[in-house]
Amino acid sequence: NAGVTQTPKFRILKIGQSMTLQCAQDMNHNYMYWYRQDPGMGLKLIYYSVGAGITDKGEVPNGYNVSRSTTEDFPLRLELAAPSQTSVYFCASRDGTQETQYFGPGTRLLVL
Amino acid sequence: GENVEQHPSTLSVQEGDSAVIKCTYSDSASNYFPWYKQELGKRPQLIIDIRSNVGEKKDQRIAVTLNKTAKHFSLHITETQPEDSAVYFCAASNAGGYQKVTFGTGTKLQVIP
């Protein structure tokens, strides 16, 4: 099992550009989450999904969109990048019968 | 919504000493409290968790205590080692369902050899 994987590891974007952060898991987990972690801070939930075709907003969804067409993949889309979106983004997944969330390695995003 | 406060923000201890990190939560409906360790540049990893029907849980050098009445929970690390140096996050959530997890702001623990 590769667990939760994320690509890219690091990206620099110009203001106004768009990009998709990829997240995939091979554990057949129903629940998937996107968090952002600003320097010196905890993780804040952006979006989550309880299964293919079902997504909902978390604490800080503005400026982001998600989709969940398969159980494995949960991409995060930034349409118009802003400096405030400079952060480290973590994807996580969880089996519905357990509480433990498994995190991906993160994507570091710098918007200039 | 849930609010989790974590103290201290930084903690330095001598190797072999104990470290204690404290958290409070606001939502009495929260019933699951995980602790994550995050090494520099790495992903958060679960180190221990506790449910609201348990007052204390221990795993080798790590223990967590929960006071539901006061809405406090704490992480205790005994006999600290340099490899314990990391940022530790507490969190609170409603186990079951989609499990919205609210994280504390983290404690940077430095163990001095």
Side-chain angles (χ1 to χ4, degrees), chain B residues 56-101:
Chain B
E56 183 174 359
K57 184 176 179 180
K58 192 172 181 179
D59 183 4
Q60 297 181 25
R61 297 186 296 109
I62 295 173
V64 58
T65 58
L66 171 65
N67 182 329
K68 281 195 303 181
T69 303
K71 298 193 184 72
H72 289 172
F73 59 113
S74 301
L75 177 71
H76 304 253
I77 306 174
T78 59
E79 300 173 15
T80 53
Q81 300 168 4
E83 51 265 38
D84 294 329
S85 296
V87 178
Y88 292 81
F89 293 97
C90 63
S93 80
N94 55 328
Y98 83 89
Q99 193 201 57
K100 180 182 176 183
V101 179

Side-chain angles (χ1 to χ4, degrees), chain A residues 2 4 31 33 35 37 40-45 48 50 59 90 94 98-101 103-106 108, chain B residues 32 36 38 41-46 49 51 87 89 93 95-106:
Chain A
V4 181
Y31 295 86
Y33 307 82
Y35 294 93
Q37 184 177 33
M41 301 296 290
L43 291 91
K44 293 190 182 294
L45 182 65
Y48 67 95
V50 302
E59 192 179 356
F90 287 100
R94 176 177 77 94
Q98 299 183 24
E99 289 84 16
T100 303
Q101 293 192 17
F103 284 83
R108 184 176 299 272
Chain B
Y32 174 66
Y36 287 86
Q38 187 178 29
K42 300 291 181 66
R43 73 191 80 186
Q45 292 196 304
L46 181 74
D49 56 12
R51 288 177 170 271
V87 178
F89 293 97
S93 80
Y98 83 89
Q99 193 201 57
K100 180 182 176 183
V101 179
T102 302
F103 286 83
T105 51

Side-chain angles (χ1 to χ4, degrees), chain A residues 72-89:
Chain A
E72 294 79 18
D73 300 299
F74 189 39
L76 178 71
R77 179 83 177 162
L78 282 71
E79 291 294 348
L80 291 170
S84 61
Q85 293 177 306
T86 293
S87 192
V88 179
Y89 292 84

Side-chain angles (χ1 to χ4, degrees), chain B residues 5-46:
Chain B
E5 295 191 356
Q6 183 172 348
H7 301 281
S9 56
T10 60
L11 179 60
S12 291
V13 299
Q14 292 289 332
E15 181 177 357
D17 287 350
S18 295
V20 180
I21 302 170
K22 298 182 178 181
C23 290
T24 61
Y25 63 100
S26 61
D27 188 350
S28 57
S30 291
N31 56 10
Y32 174 66
F33 306 92
W35 285 87
Y36 287 86
K37 176 183 180 181
Q38 187 178 29
E39 296 176 351
L40 189 62
K42 300 291 181 66
R43 73 191 80 186
Q45 292 196 304
L46 181 74

